[in-house]
Amino acid sequence: MPAAVAELRRAVRLVVLGDSTAVGLGDPLPRRGGWRGVGPFVADALGVGDDGYLNPSFAGARMRCVRTEQLPRALAHRPDVALLVVGMNDTLRPDFDADRVAADLTEVVRALAAAGTTVLPVRFHDHSKVFRLPPALKRALSARVAELNGAIDRVVETEDIACLDLDALPGAYDLTAWSVDRLHPSELGHRMLALGFTSLLTEAGFAVPRPVSLTCSGGVEPSAAGHLGWLVAKGVPWLWRRGREFLPYAAVIMWRSFRGRGD
């Protein structure tokens, strides 16, 4: 056993790339201390110190944002491990292009792999099962997520890398894994993501000296007033913006469904 442990690789530098989930939204810290989330949980599990941790992710990021804005900072950091959580924002935009997403992801993966980084992207769950939508909109979102996952799957297979499948993550569809907005993981959800990532890293030969716990601690449980405040200040405006962009695509799905019933 000691010999096997000695062969494990220690991650000294970790980078987290992506969108608001990568930022840590859904897992607030006390006294308005910002967001925690999956990155710090993985860093702690790997024993990565503050000077070895980098998170240039930002809310609203798409795959091309990771390629053009976040990747250069990641490469300069020289990470041993890179976690990549991005793609859902792409599915909600009218210019969604699965081939473009795949091309951007390929460039990100290859650049990091060439620098000696182990890259772990995610493929997504069916978010329509979490976020309550009318049936036609659920079908539209599910179809988009399937296209996104198809693009990610092609890259993962071509580049021969591991990938965290959120659809297969135990408890992924439990409401306790989601924050009030149903868009971002709760503290528990972020811990589940971190556990999934560290399990893949263990398989890749990395040491995980402090395994991720699924017992919530150190965060803030939003109050009912906080839930309402977020919904009014952030949730409704976000839904309005993204809904207007996504609606034309959803209308096409509804029209095809209507025609299919008439055939």
Side-chain angles (χ1 to χ4, degrees):
M1 179 64 72
V5 172
E7 294 174 0
L8 293 177
R9 180 183 176 189
R10 179 169 179 256
V12 177
R13 294 177 177 273
L14 168 70
V15 66
V16 180
L17 306 173
D19 55 26
S20 53
T21 295
V23 171
L25 264 68
D27 182 24
L29 290 170
R31 296 181 292 279
R32 299 187 179 183
W35 305 101
R36 181 177 47 178
V38 58
F41 290 137
V42 173
D44 181 69
L46 296 176
V48 173
D50 291 343
D51 59 343
Y53 178 67
L54 177 70
N55 188 339
S57 59
F58 55 86
R62 301 175 65 177
M63 193 69 76
R64 70 167 179 252
C65 300
V66 172
R67 176 179 62 83
T68 60
E69 301 178 51
Q70 300 178 25
L71 178 60
R73 292 186 61 190
L75 292 172
H77 187 63
R78 297 177 288 109
D80 300 297
V81 174
L83 311 180
L84 182 60
V85 185
V86 66
M88 283 302 297
N89 286 312
D90 288 275
T91 65
L92 299 173
R93 301 300 179 87
D95 62 348
F96 174 76
D97 183 335
D99 291 335
R100 182 68 260 172
V101 168
D104 288 336
L105 177 58
T106 297
E107 186 169 335
V108 171
V109 169
R110 288 181 177 175
L112 287 166
T117 304
T118 297
V119 188
L120 295 179
V122 300
R123 74 187 308 279
F124 289 87
H125 57 291
D126 183 352
H127 205 77
S128 71
K129 295 180 180 180
V130 178
F131 199 77
R132 294 176 181 175
L133 292 170
L137 288 177
K138 287 183 66 173
R139 289 194 296 273
L141 182 56
S142 295
R144 270 281 171 86
V145 172
E147 286 186 78
L148 172 66
N149 282 337
I152 294 170
D153 289 343
R154 292 196 300 273
V155 176
V156 166
E157 181 177 1
T158 300
E159 303 303 317
D160 191 25
I161 59 174
C163 180
L164 181 59
D165 186 353
L166 302 188
D167 185 64
L169 198 67
Y173 293 106
D174 294 345
L175 292 185
T176 54
W178 295 94
S179 65
V180 60
D181 60 12
R182 298 291 182 261
L183 298 171
H184 303 100
S186 62
E187 177 185 343
L188 175 60
H190 278 285
R191 288 178 177 275
M192 289 163 55
L193 285 174
L195 182 59
F197 276 128
T198 53
S199 295
L200 291 179
L201 289 171
T202 298
E203 294 174 8
F206 283 92
V208 182
R210 291 190 290 272
V212 178
S213 171
L214 294 183
T215 300
C216 294
S217 65
V220 176
E221 179 65 28
S223 64
H227 289 182
L228 180 60
W230 182 93
L231 186 63
V232 172
K234 301 289 186 180
V236 172
W238 185 91
L239 287 172
W240 173 247
R241 290 194 304 272
R242 293 296 172 262
R244 287 187 301 171
E245 294 175 338
F246 187 65
L247 192 57
Y249 170 74
V252 171
I253 296 293
M254 287 186 280
W255 173 246
R256 289 175 180 170
S257 177
F258 175 76
R259 290 189 61 186
R261 288 198 299 268
D263 291 341

